[in-house]
Amino acid sequence: MRLPHLALSLSLLTLQACASGDAPLGQASFAEYRQQTLAWMQANRTFQTDDHGAELEWNAPREWRPDGVAKRGILLVHGLGDSPFSFNDVGQKLADQGFLVRTVLLPGHGSKPSDMLDVTLKQWQEVVREQAQIMQREVPTVYLGGFSTGANLVLDYAYEHPEIAGLVLFSPAFRPENTYAWLTQYIGWFRPWLAKPDDGVRPMQTPVRYLNVPTNGFAQFYRSALLAQNHIEQRPYDKPVFVAITQHDSVLDTAYVLDNFNTRFRNPTSRLIWYGDTPAPAAKTPRVLVRNDYLPQYRIAQFSHMGLMFSPDDALYGKDGKQRICWNGQQAEDMHKCLNGDPVWYSDWGHREPGKVFARLTFNPYFDWQMGVMMGVLNGETSSASLSLVDEPPSRRH
């Protein structure tokens, strides 16, 4: 008769453990990991809306199961300041193609930005390792996917574990665009925030991501980039790799990614999608697919670091989505126009043009085509001809 009381006591202990300290790690199953992470977020999150249930679901580790028995699986890892919602559209599409799909929540995320003040790269690596190994016990073939910092983390794991079948990388942050990023490793103790959290101007977070990150978060991101660079420079990666990047990315060195894709990611089925102007002839190899990123019919001036993974139909981030990111490196007057619902154009962080108000681009008009290219890589297709058969949008302005 004491067993129910024991179970209740264990549940309470779990909730107490989740209510303080770091996000929980060390679970034996994905279901347990998700449950404990939800409890931790419930206790620690600074909610942005009255719909706490929706916010928890958007930020929690998530699973999509295919019809029938899954033969392949893919674990998806979000980027710095983001959440599992990054894969809201990609996850379902992969499940429709027979994949068991799961996401993780990196420690320090999903609650409030200050929870990243003491997070470590080792903790991020640990959750990737734990959940990759759990998935490997459940399906015979496992791929890894990541966005930005998450791409660095899955690349690190894949280099160390040759049983991983291949990689899916969105805006992989192998090398930061900012040449001073290395300084964040050394200044966090006296400058914990690069942008003050109480300046009254910069919002801290949205229902699905952080807009302000502690210096320590950037330091761990930089260390993840060093990991990726070290692996790439030591030896090529020969498994299939899908990469999507945009020329005008304000976060990463896209030329570095393109060059290393051509020279180090040698599998004939690998593909890189480059959104922007056509690269130099030496870089425009048959495995590199180019699409223009100036689309005036969508009021898009250029693609953004974060927008590649979302469908135009996404309820939050799509062309008619509810989450418009107006904090985009523009003047306060333009930001307020954006917040007030004025018509806007879309771009990456920091882009400006006279007479135009810009919001961050949070969707990809080529999303369905991009998913087709990705599935070609995952299915081992080698022909580029079919992948190029798509109507070209209007050419970039001169």
Side-chain angles (χ1 to χ4, degrees), residues 266-287:
R266 300 175 178 175
N267 192 288
T269 65
S270 294
R271 294 291 183 273
L272 181 145
I273 296 177
W274 174 272
Y275 294 111
D277 299 321
T278 301
K284 179 61 175 69
T285 67
R287 298 183 306 144

Side-chain angles (χ1 to χ4, degrees), residues 311-332:
S311 165
D313 299 323
D314 187 89
L316 292 186
Y317 274 170
K319 58 184 176 63
D320 299 316
K322 300 176 182 177
Q323 285 293 308
R324 177 188 280 189
I325 299 182
C326 297
W327 183 261
N328 201 36
Q330 57 192 333
Q331 295 179 349

Side-chain angles (χ1 to χ4, degrees), residues 5-287:
H5 296 288
L6 176 60
L8 177 59
S9 298
L10 289 174
S11 297
L12 290 174
L13 286 172
T14 297
L15 289 174
Q16 289 171 358
C18 292
S20 61
D22 298 328
L25 294 171
Q27 297 81 15
S29 69
F30 179 80
E32 183 182 359
Y33 164 63
R34 172 178 156 82
Q35 180 184 22
Q36 291 188 14
T37 302
L38 277 166
W40 179 84
M41 285 196 301
Q42 178 69 60
N44 290 277
R45 180 170 176 79
T46 300
F47 288 96
Q48 302 299 298
T49 69
D50 293 332
D51 193 343
H52 292 191
E55 286 193 41
L56 291 173
E57 286 299 324
W58 290 331
N59 289 273
R62 184 174 174 184
E63 177 183 84
W64 293 263
R65 284 193 168 272
D67 294 333
V69 178
K71 301 295 185 182
R72 297 188 292 177
I74 184 166
L75 184 72
L76 301 172
V77 183
H78 65 81
L80 178 66
D82 264 293
S83 70
F85 182 78
S86 297
F87 303 103
N88 186 61
D89 299 332
V90 172
Q92 184 60 60
K93 291 286 189 178
L94 285 166
D96 291 342
Q97 296 297 318
F99 280 83
L100 169 64
V101 186
R102 288 172 179 165
T103 58
V104 302
L105 179 68
L106 296 177
H109 295 76
S111 50
K112 54 189 178 296
S114 60
D115 286 336
M116 208 181 295
L117 283 166
D118 299 312
V119 77
T120 66
L121 174 60
K122 183 177 180 181
Q123 289 174 302
W124 293 350
Q125 290 174 299
E126 186 70 8
V127 72
V128 174
R129 182 188 65 82
E130 289 178 358
Q131 292 305 315
Q133 291 180 356
I134 287 172
M135 180 173 280
Q136 287 175 273
R137 293 196 292 267
E138 298 180 30
V139 292
T141 303
V142 172
Y143 295 81
L144 299 178
F147 163 61
S148 193
T149 302
N152 295 342
L153 295 171
V154 300
L155 181 82
D156 172 52
Y157 187 88
Y159 261 98
E160 299 292 337
H161 296 83
E163 68 273 15
I164 296 300
L167 294 170
V168 169
L169 309 176
F170 299 95
S171 303
F174 297 158
R175 188 161 76 180
E177 174 67 18
N178 189 328
T179 56
Y180 295 101
W182 64 273
L183 285 171
T184 58
Q185 303 174 94
Y186 307 108
I187 65 174
W189 66 275
F190 70 88
R191 187 169 179 177
W193 300 86
L194 296 178
K196 293 181 179 180
D198 57 353
D199 62 8
V201 177
R202 176 188 292 264
M204 291 296 288
Q205 63 190 106
T206 76
V208 293
R209 74 188 308 266
Y210 297 164
L211 295 178
N212 196 3
V213 172
T215 307
N216 179 63
F218 290 108
Q220 306 315 311
F221 151 65
Y222 181 75
R223 288 167 180 153
S224 77
L226 291 181
L227 276 179
Q229 292 171 40
N230 289 338
H231 284 305
I232 292 169
E233 291 167 7
Q234 286 176 9
R235 60 184 172 88
Y237 185 75
D238 292 328
K239 300 291 181 63
V241 178
F242 168 84
V243 181
I245 56 174
T246 175
Q247 174 187 356
H248 300 100
D249 195 307
S250 62
V251 176
L252 61 97
D253 184 340
T254 53
Y256 179 86
V257 176
L258 178 59
D259 179 63
N260 279 282
F261 174 82
N262 283 327
T263 60
R264 310 301 278 173
F265 297 155
R266 300 175 178 175
N267 192 288
T269 65
S270 294
R271 294 291 183 273
L272 181 145
I273 296 177
W274 174 272
Y275 294 111
D277 299 321
T278 301
K284 179 61 175 69
T285 67
R287 298 183 306 144

